[in-house]
Amino acid sequence: MKYSVIICYLLPENGEDIQVLRYEHGQKYDPHYDYFVDKVNIARGGHRVATVLMYLTDVAKGGETVFPSAEQETSHRKAPVENDDLSECAKKGIAVKPRRGDALLFFSLLPNATPDTSSLHAGCPVIEGEKWSATKWIHVDSFDKNLAAGGNCTDLNGSCERWAALGECTKNPEYMVGSPELPGYCRRSCKVC
């Protein structure tokens, strides 16, 4: 995952309800992305742009959140975590140990609104103890919007005009323009309506 400045609006109506999860010994979450590839989920508010993962408990061993495809830049490195302190799963990428009261914020989209494949992440198996976490996902658009109301020619993101000027209407047509079944978010700026 590259470090970059992303200016976006994380509006309350774009968020899903918080989900609380409990992981017992051996339980894990396989590697996955928080953005979508299917039209049904994209229609319900668009991609998840941001994830806030809140740790509600300490975990004695295991339970880390690991980013196996992320690369850490040397200028941002902290003192290395002792390898004995991480599970084998967590050693396969950049990992965050769950500590009660900590929160992890990461983005699933690049600044040009395309999916960031380095945001692949997983929950490592709990080896000792129990893990409780709460997750809040923020979408590009209002979550569970009413698609039946369609037909209006508007931009659904404040950056649409700038993105269109940068050529994103042709570089990223799925998001910007959309299709008859799933309208894009920048139809007005792309001059398709």
Side-chain angles (χ1 to χ4, degrees):
M1 194 172 345
K2 294 180 181 176
Y3 296 94
S4 60
V5 176
I6 298 176
I7 298 173
C8 63
Y9 299 98
L10 302 179
L11 302 171
E13 62 268 18
N14 293 15
E16 294 182 41
D17 291 337
I18 290 177
Q19 293 188 16
V20 176
L21 296 171
R22 174 184 176 206
Y23 296 85
E24 296 177 317
H25 181 269
Q27 291 184 321
K28 63 182 176 114
Y29 209 105
D30 288 331
H32 63 284
Y33 299 103
D34 282 354
Y35 58 79
F36 303 111
V37 294
D38 64 290
K39 292 182 178 185
V40 172
N41 278 305
I42 290 174
R44 299 179 64 206
H47 289 300
R48 291 171 174 159
V49 65
T51 298
V52 181
L53 178 58
M54 298 161 273
Y55 299 109
L56 306 178
T57 57
D58 291 324
V59 179
K61 188 147 179 89
E64 301 94 345
T65 302
V66 64
F67 294 85
S69 301
E71 295 179 15
Q72 189 170 11
E73 293 182 17
T74 55
S75 63
H76 297 300
R77 284 195 180 158
K78 296 180 180 179
V81 177
E82 291 295 323
N83 272 351
D84 293 342
D85 202 26
L86 294 176
S87 68
E88 286 304 311
C89 166
K91 293 176 186 176
K92 297 176 182 170
I94 295 175
V96 177
K97 275 191 71 67
R99 297 191 201 287
R100 182 178 181 211
D102 284 356
L104 172 63
L105 167 67
F106 62 93
F107 292 87
S108 298
L109 302 181
L110 296 169
N112 67 359
T114 59
D116 182 357
T117 57
S118 67
S119 68
L120 180 74
H121 60 286
C124 292
V126 173
I127 298 169
E128 185 181 321
E130 188 174 76
K131 175 182 174 182
W132 284 82
S133 64
T135 305
K136 177 76 173 180
W137 289 288
I138 312 293
H139 290 257
V140 172
D141 197 9
S142 178
F143 185 64
D144 281 339
K145 66 181 178 179
N146 181 1
L147 293 176
N152 60 349
C153 186
T154 60
D155 288 335
L156 301 175
N157 189 304
S159 297
C160 285
E161 191 174 329
R162 181 173 56 86
W163 290 337
L166 293 171
E168 290 299 319
C169 296
T170 53
K171 293 179 193 171
N172 189 10
E174 184 175 316
Y175 177 85
M176 299 289 286
V177 177
S179 65
E181 301 85 34
L182 184 62
Y185 292 90
C186 299
R187 295 174 60 78
R188 172 178 268 169
S189 290
C190 290
K191 299 176 179 26
V192 294
C193 57

